[in-house]
Amino acid sequence: MSTATFAAKPASSNAKTLLTGGLAALAGLMFGLDIGVISGALSFIGKTFEVGDHVQEIIVSSMMFGAALGALLAGYLSASFGRKRSLILSAALFVASSLLCAFAWSVAVLIAARVILGLAIGLATFTAPLYISEIADERRRGAMISTYQLMITVGILVAFISDALLAYSGAWRWMLGLVAVPGALFFAGVFLLPDSPRWLKMRGRDQEALDVLVALREDPEIARREAADIDEQLQQKQHGWSLFTGNANFRRSVLLGIMLQVMQQFTGMNVVMYYAPRIFKLAGFGQDAQMWGTAIVGVVNVLATFIAIGLVDRAGRRPMLTAGFAVMALGMGILGLLIYAGIDSETQRLLAIGVLLCFITGFAFSAGPLVWVLCSEVQPLKGRDFGIAVSTFTNWAANFVVGVTFLTMLHSLGDAETFWVYGGFNALFIIVTLAFVPETKGISLEAIERKLMAGRPLRRIGR
Ligand code: BGC
């Protein structure tokens, strides 16, 4: 649907916001579904193709590899062809590759399909939040980022439950193929959306941009003011690479984004997401219990995200991140101890589940949502697109490293030792947070930018 048709059809402002919110929800949901779906399918895939741990690691990680590439491409595609078209491309790739995964006739095809799936996800994880922030009005922006993370966790949960149900028949092809259904919904949904007003203005299509804004805000006066704001912002040309090479202060914020995403991934959260049934097996659970235990992990992940949504603007980023890393360090450390001592009794098994759930809670109220929030806050306007593209790329690259090394670590270091390594990382991140992460609660993005560019230490570019 063209921009003009969208503008010509009046619907209530709320309905349109809901549509945009719905899109956010679907992109996050897709992200989550694909993170979650592989854990339950993995052991069956291993059996079908008779492949061991190393190949299984590659099957898991091929998606993150594709996603890192997709995030890199996304900046270029969404600037040249527009946010909407990038999302359409992502949705189409998403449906096609999910089906290809389901029908994969060899390991090579499965891996190739997962790389393409990754491309789709990388593209969506850069473009969707960008689009949302450009189309939502100011009052709703923060809530929409949190909703986005919430939907990631819901996606993971839905994938875990669907895996658990399908596990009885070992139907891994269905597990992977069903993900095409929300993908198709996403595809249809994106067509209904208008182009981003900011992008239209970047291309000099001022009248269309104004039409979209009038249709969205339903108040020509507000729309005109926003259009003028966008014009003013666009005076600040995006200078990603040249700013990066020429300005030491910008390099610091880009490095902060990279560091935050590396920390988020090296908590070991995705080890649990991808290999949860395997971890439950290490803890002595039978097959059914492994799948349902995994589903409980998904539920706790969703619920604990609400703690972040409720507290982030009151307690602040630094205390919550520090507390989260402390909980995760303890969780991983104790889990390692339990595995080291040998888990034989029912009580020990319950204890193991308990600490694993504490770990998940620690992630979901801290590093999960807060890293995304911080990454969107610390980049100066001129280098925003570049900075966020780099941090999104890092998220997937680090995710890849974690996914591709976990089973190998179990073999080479030992089970307990592997969890201790992650426990150690989390303990280290407490110190890193205290030393480098700014407190950005309740402070305007302009103020953060001013302090960054004035050369203040990173920890003090916030409050
Ligand atoms: C992370 C993902 C992770 C998810 C878990 C997200 O913030 O980026 O890698 O799987 O949270 O809920």
Side-chain angles (χ1 to χ4, degrees), residues 30 32-46 48-49 56 59-60 62-63 93-107 109-115 117 121 158-160 162-164 166-167 170-184 274 291:
M30 286 171 26
L33 282 169
D34 276 298
I35 292 262
V37 79
I38 196 67
S39 72
L42 201 56
S43 67
F44 301 111
I45 293 175
T48 303
F49 294 121
Q56 289 186 30
I59 293 173
V60 169
S62 48
M63 184 187 95
L93 286 176
F94 187 80
V95 175
S97 56
S98 304
L99 293 175
L100 191 58
C101 282
F103 290 105
W105 53 93
S106 70
V107 174
V109 172
L110 182 60
I111 291 175
R114 278 182 62 80
V115 172
L117 183 62
I121 296 288
V158 171
F160 282 173
S162 126
D163 279 3
L166 290 166
W172 66 265
R173 291 182 188 277
W174 278 100
M175 295 178 190
L176 301 188
L178 273 179
V179 181
V181 177
Y274 301 137
M291 297 308 279

Side-chain angles (χ1 to χ4, degrees), residues 35 149 153 156 264-265 269-270 301 363 368 372 395 399:
I35 292 262
Q149 169 71 18
T153 62
I156 294 174
Q264 188 202 55
Q265 292 302 316
M269 174 61 167
N270 282 323
N301 190 25
F363 179 89
W372 291 109
N395 174 274
N399 194 332

Side-chain angles (χ1 to χ4, degrees), residues 52-361:
D53 282 353
H54 188 55
V55 175
Q56 289 186 30
E57 279 177 338
I58 296 176
I59 293 173
V60 169
S61 310
S62 48
M63 184 187 95
M64 284 81 92
F65 176 75
L69 276 185
L72 275 190
L73 275 179
Y76 166 74
L77 288 178
S78 66
S80 323
F81 300 100
R83 285 65 163 131
K84 181 175 166 175
R85 274 187 231 147
S86 298
L87 287 173
I88 292 176
L89 174 65
S90 148
L93 286 176
F94 187 80
V95 175
S97 56
S98 304
L99 293 175
L100 191 58
C101 282
F103 290 105
W105 53 93
S106 70
V107 174
V109 172
L110 182 60
I111 291 175
R114 278 182 62 80
V115 172
I116 304 174
L117 183 62
L119 278 176
I121 296 288
L123 204 55
T125 48
F126 173 82
T127 314
L130 178 72
Y131 174 83
I132 291 156
S133 74
E134 289 177 348
I135 210 148
D137 65 57
E138 255 172 28
R139 288 165 301 140
R140 293 200 180 93
R141 232 170 259 168
M144 279 186 165
I145 291 203
S146 314
T147 312
Y148 182 69
Q149 169 71 18
L150 186 68
M151 290 314 295
I152 296 177
T153 62
V154 171
I156 294 174
L157 172 63
V158 171
F160 282 173
I161 293 178
S162 126
D163 279 3
L165 292 172
L166 290 166
Y168 293 104
S169 49
W172 66 265
R173 291 182 188 277
W174 278 100
M175 295 178 190
L176 301 188
L178 273 179
V179 181
V181 177
L185 273 177
F186 182 62
F187 186 73
V190 178
F191 276 99
L192 298 176
L193 292 171
D195 272 309
S196 142
R198 183 162 182 261
W199 179 75
L200 287 169
K201 278 193 161 287
M202 276 159 58
R203 312 299 284 187
R205 290 157 65 177
D206 288 355
Q207 186 56 45
E208 284 171 80
L210 188 64
D211 287 346
V212 173
L213 282 170
V214 170
L216 281 172
R217 306 289 179 253
E218 288 190 323
D219 181 335
E221 202 30 54
I222 295 183
R224 255 187 289 278
R225 233 180 296 140
E226 250 187 83
D229 279 352
I230 297 177
D231 281 335
E232 197 179 317
Q233 278 184 8
L234 287 180
Q235 301 285 320
Q236 297 254 20
K237 287 225 172 325
Q238 287 289 316
H239 288 297
W241 182 245
S242 56
L243 195 63
F244 184 77
T245 48
N247 185 314
N249 287 320
F250 180 53
R251 279 201 291 279
R252 292 187 309 140
S253 67
V254 172
L255 286 179
L256 179 62
I258 292 177
M259 192 183 73
L260 283 164
Q261 291 287 8
V262 167
M263 293 204 297
Q264 188 202 55
Q265 292 302 316
F266 279 61
T267 56
M269 174 61 167
N270 282 323
V271 158
V272 186
M273 296 295 105
Y274 301 137
Y275 301 107
R278 179 77 174 243
I279 296 174
F280 281 112
K281 192 170 165 194
L282 281 179
F285 290 82
Q287 187 165 333
D288 276 4
Q290 287 168 30
M291 297 308 279
W292 289 108
T294 304
I296 294 173
V297 163
V299 173
V300 171
N301 190 25
V302 174
L303 292 181
T305 304
F306 284 102
I307 306 180
I309 295 178
L311 282 183
V312 62
D313 286 318
R314 272 185 285 159
R317 282 70 164 144
R318 272 166 61 89
M320 288 183 71
L321 264 185
T322 323
F325 286 132
V327 171
M328 287 188 277
L330 281 175
M332 282 292 185
I334 299 175
L335 189 62
L337 273 181
L338 286 168
I339 293 176
Y340 184 74
I343 301 177
D344 319 300
S345 72
E346 202 53 35
T347 326
Q348 284 164 332
R349 264 195 281 281
L350 282 178
L351 203 60
I353 281 218
V355 285
L356 194 64
L357 294 181
C358 281
F359 169 84
I360 301 291
T361 307

